Amino acid sequence: MPSSAATPAVAPMTRALVLLFAFCCGAIVANIYYAQPIIALIAPDVALSTQGASLVVALTQVGYAAGLFFLVPLADLLENRRLMMATVVLAGLSLLAASVVSQPGPFLAVSLLIGFSSVAVQMLIPLAAHMAPEASRGRVVGSIMSGLILGILLARPLASLVADHFGWRAVYQLAAAAMLVILLVLATTMPAYRPAHRASYPALIASLGHLFKRHALLRQRAMLQALMFAAFSLFWTAAPLELARVHGLSQSQIAVFALVGAVGTVAAPLAGRWADAGYTRLATLAAMLMAIVAFTLGLAPSVVCLALTGVLLDFAVQMNMVMGQREIYALDAHSRARLNGIYVTSIFLGGAAGSALASPVYESLGWPGIAGIGMALGVLGWLGSRRSARAANA
């Protein structure tokens, strides 16, 4: 087994640093979501079929999952700031490439690379958990997750607005410029942190399997959030298609619709406080029920009901995400980056499945098919959370 010395000292987790972490997380994670509301514009320009359009979103999420598995564990081995800067440089170059390619194969490959290189957020969050005192760790992680979720939610309206006025390629150009800003922020303000863990890279990757096998709680939380994120991605990939085709909304109007989902960002700090107070199991069950209710409302042929679905679903996903992270970070202080990598890899594989299903299901079954699958995913999550709660109380 690799050696693990005492956790090295790092800068204290001040409020300013929490805000900085939150900003960086939001700006970087947005890269994965810019394509969701504009796939109908991208597909014809890069010669993708209507049914294959959602592959852009799905492959970005698959790339993100691969980055979580192969890059994020390095945060337990290498100096974190330099590692994050390297991934941000690669993300910026990938986004620039996406703004110029015009063939389906290269564009899908670049989409995969955008996801692969946008994983610095999952290095920042474990670093914040290292730096935060145990008593406030849930609140700190929840506050940073608010920035991350805000980036996810604002990416969609921003992409719609920019694409409506300047074309979809401008979205990727602006995202590349944002990565340059993030690179400067990381270089000038982020504290250096070299982990105490010592191992070879192959041993580090092999340890992921050992951690997944050792911790039943990790497996349970990963499964629950994968189901939730599949439902989340299914909704937000299909909703722009429904809004444009059935309700006649323009890209700018879809942007306003997507902004409604930003209301759900209040879930992350609330969830952090509830987790610190010991309400994790109850809040997890509530999140699953909320997802079921959200898709039930979404069956009504109304833009208002679709907006309520988005708000409730975003709230449920964020709440369950923070609850899960709070629990897995307590499993092993020296393995937090790897535990987080396993957890979020599972989540984004679920998200990729939801995104990949969106276009073919919508084309063949319409919105009722999307809502039905979303409800089924929520029911599976609720049953899984009930089983986990019973096991914990046994």
Side-chain angles (χ1 to χ4, degrees):
M1 294 292 292
S3 62
S4 294
T7 304
V10 291
M13 198 65 193
T14 62
R15 180 170 178 78
L17 204 53
V18 169
L19 292 174
L20 178 65
F21 274 44
F23 167 74
C24 290
C25 282
I28 296 169
V29 80
N31 295 339
I32 311 166
Y33 297 93
Y34 288 129
Q36 272 187 342
I38 58 174
I39 54 172
L41 302 178
I42 295 172
D45 270 11
V46 299
L48 275 170
S49 67
T50 304
Q51 289 197 336
S54 60
L55 281 176
V56 175
V57 179
L59 284 175
T60 304
Q61 292 176 325
V62 168
Y64 193 72
L68 289 166
F69 190 85
F70 291 107
L71 291 182
V72 169
L74 286 171
D76 280 338
L77 190 62
L78 304 178
E79 200 281 306
N80 281 203
R81 181 173 59 187
R82 291 182 181 178
L83 179 61
M84 287 185 279
M85 289 171 64
T87 64
V88 168
V89 169
L90 182 57
L93 294 174
S94 303
L95 290 160
L96 275 178
S99 73
V100 297
V101 298
S102 57
Q103 296 299 314
F107 191 85
L108 291 176
V110 169
S111 297
L112 190 74
L113 192 56
I114 288 171
F116 182 77
S117 57
S118 296
V119 294
V121 291
Q122 301 304 336
M123 303 174 193
L124 281 164
I125 296 170
L127 178 57
H130 274 298
M131 297 167 66
E134 173 65 26
S136 62
R137 184 167 294 139
R139 290 191 291 276
V140 167
V141 171
S143 296
I144 294 170
M145 284 297 297
S146 291
L148 184 147
I149 299 299
L150 192 61
I152 292 173
L153 298 178
L154 293 182
R156 294 188 293 262
L158 178 62
S160 289
L161 284 171
V162 172
D164 203 22
H165 294 284
F166 304 103
W168 68 265
R169 293 184 186 276
V171 175
Y172 288 95
Q173 292 163 359
L174 285 174
M179 291 307 97
L180 177 60
V181 173
I182 293 298
L183 182 65
L184 294 174
V185 169
L186 291 175
T188 57
T189 62
M190 192 62 60
Y193 171 73
R194 181 173 293 279
H197 192 86
R198 296 291 177 265
S200 66
Y201 181 70
L204 194 71
I205 296 300
S207 71
L208 296 175
H210 299 314
L211 288 169
F212 189 76
K213 184 177 179 180
R214 183 189 312 158
H215 298 295
L217 179 62
L218 173 62
R219 298 193 299 271
Q220 293 162 5
R221 297 303 318 197
M223 182 271 292
L224 293 176
Q225 190 64 8
L227 290 170
M228 291 288 281
F229 210 66
F232 176 90
S233 297
L234 179 76
F235 175 83
W236 283 109
T237 305
L241 301 175
E242 174 76 359
L243 292 167
R245 295 185 191 179
V246 176
H247 301 284
L249 270 63
S250 68
Q251 283 295 321
S252 293
Q253 290 170 326
I254 291 172
V256 175
F257 176 91
L259 273 174
V260 173
V263 174
T265 56
V266 300
L270 286 175
R273 288 177 171 83
W274 294 336
D276 287 339
Y279 298 123
T280 297
R281 298 297 175 186
L282 182 61
T284 298
L285 283 167
M288 300 302 165
L289 287 172
M290 200 178 298
I292 299 169
V293 171
F295 277 104
T296 304
L297 287 172
L299 282 170
S302 162
V303 173
V304 173
C305 288
L306 283 176
L308 287 173
T309 299
V311 171
L312 288 175
L313 189 59
D314 287 354
F315 194 100
V317 169
Q318 293 167 50
M319 183 163 67
N320 195 62
M321 178 82 169
V322 174
M323 293 293 170
Q325 284 181 308
R326 178 67 168 81
E327 285 199 311
I328 67 166
Y329 288 158
L331 294 174
D332 183 353
H334 295 293
S335 305
R336 282 188 179 128
R338 282 169 291 154
L339 290 167
N340 192 62
I342 296 167
Y343 178 60
V344 186
T345 296
S346 303
I347 293 168
F348 274 86
L349 288 175
S355 297
L357 281 173
S359 287
V361 169
Y362 184 78
E363 294 298 329
S364 58
L365 300 175
W367 189 256
I370 297 292
I373 292 176
M375 282 189 283
L377 291 168
V379 169
L380 288 174
W382 183 77
L383 293 173
S385 60
R386 284 287 300 271
R387 189 178 303 113
S388 298
R390 285 196 300 267
N393 293 328

